[in-house]
Amino acid sequence: MGNMDICERLRRKLKEAVERSRADGMLLSGGVDTSILALIARPSRGFTVALEGASASDLAYSEKVARLLGIQHKKMEFTAEEALATLPVIIKTLKTFDLALPNDLSIYFALKLARESGIRSIMTGDGADELFAGYAYMAELLPEDLDRYIRRLSQNWHFSANELGRALGVEIRQPFLDGDFVRFGLEIGPELKVKDGAGKYILRKSFEDVLPPEIVWRRKEAIEYGSGSTKLHEIINNMVTDEEFQSAMNEFDIKFINKEHLFYWRSYNQVVGEIPKARDDEISCPCCGAAMGKYHCPTCGFSRPLL
């Protein structure tokens, strides 16, 4: 099957998945995933958030997509103080002290903005990076290893938007995770997912004639970078002294990655409590002792090398 045939099938399959995942609004980052969904779904409203005072590329890109597609676009900037005050809520909801929490903060604020705007269901771009090799580390894998890794991911992937949405009373719709579309995505060879150093190559190629090149070939940015919330890492890291960190490393049976990790655990310890230790039949995380999957611990965020 030629590339054009695959592109045509991909467009058709994704359109069908979008039809099965209709929602009142959309979390719009202006990245290729949500831009493609916006192009197909034409939602009435899109929502974008960013950390105040940060260089947040999502604001500019999402505005461009919203203007291009005629979507009513609502933006909000949250402060570092609001982020710090909200962290315990997110930690309690997700039961984690993962260093990726700034990602979850941005999702939470966007979902909260949507709910306050009367939205009851929201579409997200979850799953596209996992299914089509959007992360930089995936581009470094050999094709056969990449294919095997994606298949393993598809059996046990997890997205925080679902839990955060439930906590806020917003239903999450995820077209890229539609069962039929996932099966189709797994059929596509890894050599079409990463090509010429570009992840999500076939997904981008399928829509390059209907979206501006600066959108469809936009470099992958984690949510925390696009929303500017990566700035929180430095702020939080500076809230813990070297002495406090060293003392905690000596006192607790947890291998904290850095001072920010300790900060999150302190909140976890207050709002969640003790870490549930792995049973004898589970894989024990070498960092915190909780049960973990093959690659990642959902409690502390520890990740094993892929190979």
Side-chain angles (χ1 to χ4, degrees):
M1 184 182 295
N3 286 4
M4 288 304 296
D5 292 332
I6 293 177
C7 288
E8 288 175 11
R9 284 189 64 200
L10 193 156
R11 287 192 293 266
R12 185 178 75 253
K13 289 284 189 181
L14 188 54
K15 183 178 180 181
E16 292 169 356
V18 166
E19 287 299 324
R20 290 189 289 267
S21 308
R22 284 286 173 186
D24 300 334
M26 171 177 288
L27 298 192
L28 185 62
S29 68
V32 62
D33 309 331
T34 60
S35 297
I36 287 172
L37 294 183
L39 174 72
I40 298 171
R42 301 294 171 121
S44 58
R45 287 185 281 181
F47 299 89
T48 310
V49 300
L51 178 65
E52 185 179 81
S55 178
S57 55
D58 280 0
L59 291 178
Y61 280 103
S62 60
E63 181 64 41
K64 181 174 293 188
V65 173
R67 193 166 52 246
L68 175 70
L69 301 178
I71 298 169
Q72 182 183 339
H73 191 208
K74 194 157 189 177
K75 298 177 287 185
M76 184 272 279
E77 293 184 90
F78 57 91
T79 66
E81 290 73 23
E82 288 172 322
L84 292 172
T86 304
L87 266 171
V89 176
I90 295 173
I91 290 171
K92 185 176 182 178
T93 300
L94 300 179
K95 294 179 174 53
T96 186
F97 54 103
D98 194 321
L99 283 169
L101 278 163
N103 269 345
D104 303 313
L105 269 170
S106 300
I107 295 169
Y108 179 88
F109 281 120
L111 291 174
K112 186 169 180 284
L113 177 64
R115 188 198 65 185
E116 291 169 350
S117 303
I119 295 294
R120 288 292 171 261
S121 61
I122 200 93
M123 189 179 291
T124 76
D126 292 328
D129 284 311
E130 289 74 13
L131 191 56
F132 290 96
Y135 298 109
Y137 71 85
M138 296 170 85
E140 298 173 3
L141 296 175
L142 293 173
E144 59 270 25
D145 293 329
L146 175 61
D147 188 60
R148 186 165 60 249
Y149 177 64
I150 292 174
R151 289 180 184 277
R152 283 179 180 159
L153 273 184
S154 72
Q155 295 168 4
N156 193 36
W157 45 32
H158 168 266
F159 298 92
S160 61
N162 296 298
E163 292 159 279
L164 296 174
R166 280 193 293 272
L168 288 165
V170 180
E171 186 176 350
I172 307 300
R173 308 282 173 78
Q174 299 155 309
F176 286 112
L177 298 178
D178 174 86
D180 183 63
F181 186 75
V182 169
R183 284 188 289 275
F184 167 72
L186 292 176
E187 292 175 8
I188 298 174
E191 69 282 353
L192 289 177
K193 294 178 179 179
V194 176
K195 190 171 182 179
D196 301 329
K200 294 187 286 197
Y201 173 81
I202 194 65
L203 181 64
R204 300 175 190 273
K205 195 72 178 171
S206 298
F207 291 90
E208 68 174 352
D209 60 338
V210 286
L211 283 171
E214 65 269 24
I215 297 295
V216 81
W217 295 103
R218 181 186 173 190
R219 182 175 60 86
K220 163 66 185 174
E221 289 185 289
I223 295 170
E224 66 178 76
Y225 287 95
S227 67
S229 59
T230 186
K231 186 178 178 182
L232 293 170
H233 291 305
E234 181 183 356
I235 294 171
I236 293 172
N237 202 57
N238 289 334
M239 295 175 71
V240 178
T241 67
D242 293 339
E243 292 75 17
E244 288 173 322
F245 181 68
Q246 193 57 53
S247 175
M249 289 289 284
N250 294 332
E251 182 179 354
F252 302 108
D253 191 24
I254 301 171
K255 295 180 176 64
F256 297 110
I257 297 170
N258 54 26
K259 293 189 288 185
E260 181 187 5
H261 204 207
L262 171 60
F263 180 92
Y264 294 148
W265 172 79
R266 284 174 172 172
S267 181
Y268 176 97
N269 197 42
Q270 289 179 342
V271 301
V272 178
E274 291 187 10
I275 297 170
K277 297 302 179 183
R279 301 189 309 265
D280 291 342
D281 61 340
E282 295 176 319
I283 301 173
S284 177
C285 173
C287 178
C288 73
M292 66 173 287
K294 183 175 177 62
Y295 299 113
H296 182 256
C297 174
T299 301
C300 74
F302 168 80
S303 294
R304 294 185 187 280
L306 300 187
L307 300 172

PDB file of all heavy atoms in Angstrom, residues 254-268:
ATOM      1  N   ILE A 254      13.106   6.743  50.164  1.00  0.00           N
ATOM      2  CA  ILE A 254      12.674   7.134  48.824  1.00  0.00           C
ATOM      3  C   ILE A 254      13.872   7.784  48.139  1.00  0.00           C
ATOM      4  O   ILE A 254      14.556   8.628  48.733  1.00  0.00           O
ATOM      5  CB  ILE A 254      11.502   8.142  48.866  1.00  0.00           C
ATOM      6  CG1 ILE A 254      10.305   7.550  49.611  1.00  0.00           C
ATOM      7  CG2 ILE A 254      11.092   8.558  47.448  1.00  0.00           C
ATOM      8  CD1 ILE A 254       9.199   8.551  49.870  1.00  0.00           C
ATOM      9  N   LYS A 255      14.131   7.416  46.905  1.00  0.00           N
ATOM     10  CA  LYS A 255      15.246   8.003  46.154  1.00  0.00           C
ATOM     11  C   LYS A 255      14.729   9.223  45.390  1.00  0.00           C
ATOM     12  O   LYS A 255      14.382   9.138  44.211  1.00  0.00           O
ATOM     13  CB  LYS A 255      15.848   6.970  45.207  1.00  0.00           C
ATOM     14  CG  LYS A 255      16.507   5.798  45.928  1.00  0.00           C
ATOM     15  CD  LYS A 255      17.091   4.808  44.939  1.00  0.00           C
ATOM     16  CE  LYS A 255      17.839   3.685  45.652  1.00  0.00           C
ATOM     17  NZ  LYS A 255      16.953   2.859  46.485  1.00  0.00           N
ATOM     18  N   PHE A 256      14.661  10.364  46.073  1.00  0.00           N
ATOM     19  CA  PHE A 256      14.167  11.582  45.431  1.00  0.00           C
ATOM     20  C   PHE A 256      15.100  11.983  44.302  1.00  0.00           C
ATOM     21  O   PHE A 256      16.332  11.994  44.454  1.00  0.00           O
ATOM     22  CB  PHE A 256      14.057  12.715  46.457  1.00  0.00           C
ATOM     23  CG  PHE A 256      13.080  12.438  47.558  1.00  0.00           C
ATOM     24  CD1 PHE A 256      13.513  12.195  48.864  1.00  0.00           C
ATOM     25  CD2 PHE A 256      11.715  12.393  47.297  1.00  0.00           C
ATOM     26  CE1 PHE A 256      12.614  11.930  49.873  1.00  0.00           C
ATOM     27  CE2 PHE A 256      10.801  12.128  48.306  1.00  0.00           C
ATOM     28  CZ  PHE A 256      11.255  11.892  49.599  1.00  0.00           C
ATOM     29  N   ILE A 257      14.526  12.344  43.169  1.00  0.00           N
ATOM     30  CA  ILE A 257      15.321  12.692  41.991  1.00  0.00           C
ATOM     31  C   ILE A 257      15.971  14.057  42.166  1.00  0.00           C
ATOM     32  O   ILE A 257      17.127  14.269  41.798  1.00  0.00           O
ATOM     33  CB  ILE A 257      14.434  12.662  40.733  1.00  0.00           C
ATOM     34  CG1 ILE A 257      13.915  11.233  40.512  1.00  0.00           C
ATOM     35  CG2 ILE A 257      15.201  13.142  39.504  1.00  0.00           C
ATOM     36  CD1 ILE A 257      12.842  11.106  39.461  1.00  0.00           C
ATOM     37  N   ASN A 258      15.235  15.001  42.741  1.00  0.00           N
ATOM     38  CA  ASN A 258      15.764  16.341  42.995  1.00  0.00           C
ATOM     39  C   ASN A 258      14.884  17.019  44.049  1.00  0.00           C
ATOM     40  O   ASN A 258      13.973  16.400  44.609  1.00  0.00           O
ATOM     41  CB  ASN A 258      15.819  17.171  41.698  1.00  0.00           C
ATOM     42  CG  ASN A 258      14.470  17.229  40.989  1.00  0.00           C
ATOM     43  OD1 ASN A 258      13.418  17.099  41.609  1.00  0.00           O
ATOM     44  ND2 ASN A 258      14.505  17.436  39.681  1.00  0.00           N
ATOM     45  N   LYS A 259      15.164  18.286  44.307  1.00  0.00           N
ATOM     46  CA  LYS A 259      14.437  19.007  45.356  1.00  0.00           C
ATOM     47  C   LYS A 259      12.967  19.201  45.002  1.00  0.00           C
ATOM     48  O   LYS A 259      12.102  19.181  45.878  1.00  0.00           O
ATOM     49  CB  LYS A 259      15.123  20.356  45.626  1.00  0.00           C
ATOM     50  CG  LYS A 259      16.504  20.208  46.246  1.00  0.00           C
ATOM     51  CD  LYS A 259      17.086  21.527  46.706  1.00  0.00           C
ATOM     52  CE  LYS A 259      17.499  22.399  45.563  1.00  0.00           C
ATOM     53  NZ  LYS A 259      18.167  23.646  46.012  1.00  0.00           N
ATOM     54  N   GLU A 260      12.681  19.386  43.739  1.00  0.00           N
ATOM     55  CA  GLU A 260      11.292  19.523  43.302  1.00  0.00           C
ATOM     56  C   GLU A 260      10.513  18.241  43.591  1.00  0.00           C
ATOM     57  O   GLU A 260       9.355  18.281  44.022  1.00  0.00           O
ATOM     58  CB  GLU A 260      11.250  19.839  41.805  1.00  0.00           C
ATOM     59  CG  GLU A 260       9.848  20.023  41.246  1.00  0.00           C
ATOM     60  CD  GLU A 260       9.843  20.156  39.738  1.00  0.00           C
ATOM     61  OE1 GLU A 260      10.904  20.005  39.111  1.00  0.00           O
ATOM     62  OE2 GLU A 260       8.751  20.396  39.193  1.00  0.00           O
ATOM     63  N   HIS A 261      11.150  17.106  43.374  1.00  0.00           N
ATOM     64  CA  HIS A 261      10.544  15.811  43.646  1.00  0.00           C
ATOM     65  C   HIS A 261      10.176  15.697  45.128  1.00  0.00           C
ATOM     66  O   HIS A 261       9.087  15.213  45.478  1.00  0.00           O
ATOM     67  CB  HIS A 261      11.523  14.707  43.246  1.00  0.00           C
ATOM     68  CG  HIS A 261      10.880  13.402  42.923  1.00  0.00           C
ATOM     69  ND1 HIS A 261      11.517  12.201  43.068  1.00  0.00           N
ATOM     70  CD2 HIS A 261       9.632  13.090  42.448  1.00  0.00           C
ATOM     71  CE1 HIS A 261      10.715  11.215  42.709  1.00  0.00           C
ATOM     72  NE2 HIS A 261       9.568  11.730  42.325  1.00  0.00           N
ATOM     73  N   LEU A 262      11.074  16.145  45.984  1.00  0.00           N
ATOM     74  CA  LEU A 262      10.810  16.145  47.425  1.00  0.00           C
ATOM     75  C   LEU A 262       9.627  17.049  47.764  1.00  0.00           C
ATOM     76  O   LEU A 262       8.764  16.691  48.578  1.00  0.00           O
ATOM     77  CB  LEU A 262      12.055  16.602  48.185  1.00  0.00           C
ATOM     78  CG  LEU A 262      11.891  16.862  49.697  1.00  0.00           C
ATOM     79  CD1 LEU A 262      11.427  15.609  50.420  1.00  0.00           C
ATOM     80  CD2 LEU A 262      13.205  17.385  50.284  1.00  0.00           C
ATOM     81  N   PHE A 263       9.554  18.205  47.113  1.00  0.00           N
ATOM     82  CA  PHE A 263       8.456  19.152  47.343  1.00  0.00           C
ATOM     83  C   PHE A 263       7.112  18.491  47.034  1.00  0.00           C
ATOM     84  O   PHE A 263       6.163  18.589  47.816  1.00  0.00           O
ATOM     85  CB  PHE A 263       8.653  20.391  46.470  1.00  0.00           C
ATOM     86  CG  PHE A 263       7.584  21.434  46.630  1.00  0.00           C
ATOM     87  CD1 PHE A 263       7.724  22.459  47.550  1.00  0.00           C
ATOM     88  CD2 PHE A 263       6.422  21.399  45.853  1.00  0.00           C
ATOM     89  CE1 PHE A 263       6.731  23.428  47.709  1.00  0.00           C
ATOM     90  CE2 PHE A 263       5.427  22.353  46.002  1.00  0.00           C
ATOM     91  CZ  PHE A 263       5.588  23.371  46.929  1.00  0.00           C
ATOM     92  N   TYR A 264       7.038  17.802  45.902  1.00  0.00           N
ATOM     93  CA  TYR A 264       5.789  17.136  45.529  1.00  0.00           C
ATOM     94  C   TYR A 264       5.452  16.015  46.512  1.00  0.00           C
ATOM     95  O   TYR A 264       4.282  15.810  46.855  1.00  0.00           O
ATOM     96  CB  TYR A 264       5.889  16.570  44.107  1.00  0.00           C
ATOM     97  CG  TYR A 264       6.010  17.597  43.013  1.00  0.00           C
ATOM     98  CD1 TYR A 264       6.736  17.334  41.853  1.00  0.00           C
ATOM     99  CD2 TYR A 264       5.405  18.849  43.126  1.00  0.00           C
ATOM    100  CE1 TYR A 264       6.839  18.268  40.839  1.00  0.00           C
ATOM    101  CE2 TYR A 264       5.510  19.794  42.114  1.00  0.00           C
ATOM    102  CZ  TYR A 264       6.234  19.492  40.979  1.00  0.00           C
ATOM    103  OH  TYR A 264       6.340  20.425  39.966  1.00  0.00           O
ATOM    104  N   TRP A 265       6.483  15.269  46.934  1.00  0.00           N
ATOM    105  CA  TRP A 265       6.227  14.174  47.881  1.00  0.00           C
ATOM    106  C   TRP A 265       5.682  14.698  49.205  1.00  0.00           C
ATOM    107  O   TRP A 265       4.788  14.084  49.795  1.00  0.00           O
ATOM    108  CB  TRP A 265       7.501  13.367  48.136  1.00  0.00           C
ATOM    109  CG  TRP A 265       7.293  12.380  49.243  1.00  0.00           C
ATOM    110  CD1 TRP A 265       6.657  11.174  49.158  1.00  0.00           C
ATOM    111  CD2 TRP A 265       7.658  12.553  50.618  1.00  0.00           C
ATOM    112  NE1 TRP A 265       6.618  10.566  50.394  1.00  0.00           N
ATOM    113  CE2 TRP A 265       7.223  11.393  51.308  1.00  0.00           C
ATOM    114  CE3 TRP A 265       8.325  13.548  51.328  1.00  0.00           C
ATOM    115  CZ2 TRP A 265       7.439  11.217  52.668  1.00  0.00           C
ATOM    116  CZ3 TRP A 265       8.537  13.379  52.681  1.00  0.00           C
ATOM    117  CH2 TRP A 265       8.092  12.222  53.344  1.00  0.00           C
ATOM    118  N   ARG A 266       6.199  15.820  49.665  1.00  0.00           N
ATOM    119  CA  ARG A 266       5.683  16.395  50.915  1.00  0.00           C
ATOM    120  C   ARG A 266       4.186  16.644  50.812  1.00  0.00           C
ATOM    121  O   ARG A 266       3.426  16.346  51.737  1.00  0.00           O
ATOM    122  CB  ARG A 266       6.406  17.719  51.227  1.00  0.00           C
ATOM    123  CG  ARG A 266       7.821  17.562  51.764  1.00  0.00           C
ATOM    124  CD  ARG A 266       8.446  18.932  51.884  1.00  0.00           C
ATOM    125  NE  ARG A 266       9.732  18.897  52.560  1.00  0.00           N
ATOM    126  CZ  ARG A 266      10.530  19.958  52.646  1.00  0.00           C
ATOM    127  NH1 ARG A 266      10.186  21.104  52.086  1.00  0.00           N
ATOM    128  NH2 ARG A 266      11.686  19.854  53.279  1.00  0.00           N
ATOM    129  N   SER A 267       3.766  17.190  49.690  1.00  0.00           N
ATOM    130  CA  SER A 267       2.342  17.433  49.480  1.00  0.00           C
ATOM    131  C   SER A 267       1.592  16.110  49.382  1.00  0.00           C
ATOM    132  O   SER A 267       0.520  15.941  49.968  1.00  0.00           O
ATOM    133  CB  SER A 267       2.121  18.266  48.212  1.00  0.00           C
ATOM    134  OG  SER A 267       0.761  18.525  48.003  1.00  0.00           O
ATOM    135  N   TYR A 268       2.161  15.149  48.651  1.00  0.00           N
ATOM    136  CA  TYR A 268       1.561  13.816  48.522  1.00  0.00           C
ATOM    137  C   TYR A 268       1.372  13.203  49.902  1.00  0.00           C
ATOM    138  O   TYR A 268       0.316  12.631  50.210  1.00  0.00           O
ATOM    139  CB  TYR A 268       2.471  12.942  47.663  1.00  0.00           C
ATOM    140  CG  TYR A 268       2.031  11.496  47.528  1.00  0.00           C
ATOM    141  CD1 TYR A 268       1.308  11.067  46.415  1.00  0.00           C
ATOM    142  CD2 TYR A 268       2.345  10.555  48.514  1.00  0.00           C
ATOM    143  CE1 TYR A 268       0.904   9.745  46.286  1.00  0.00           C
ATOM    144  CE2 TYR A 268       1.946   9.236  48.396  1.00  0.00           C
ATOM    145  CZ  TYR A 268       1.230   8.834  47.285  1.00  0.00           C
ATOM    146  OH  TYR A 268       0.833   7.517  47.164  1.00  0.00           O
TER     147      TYR A 268
END
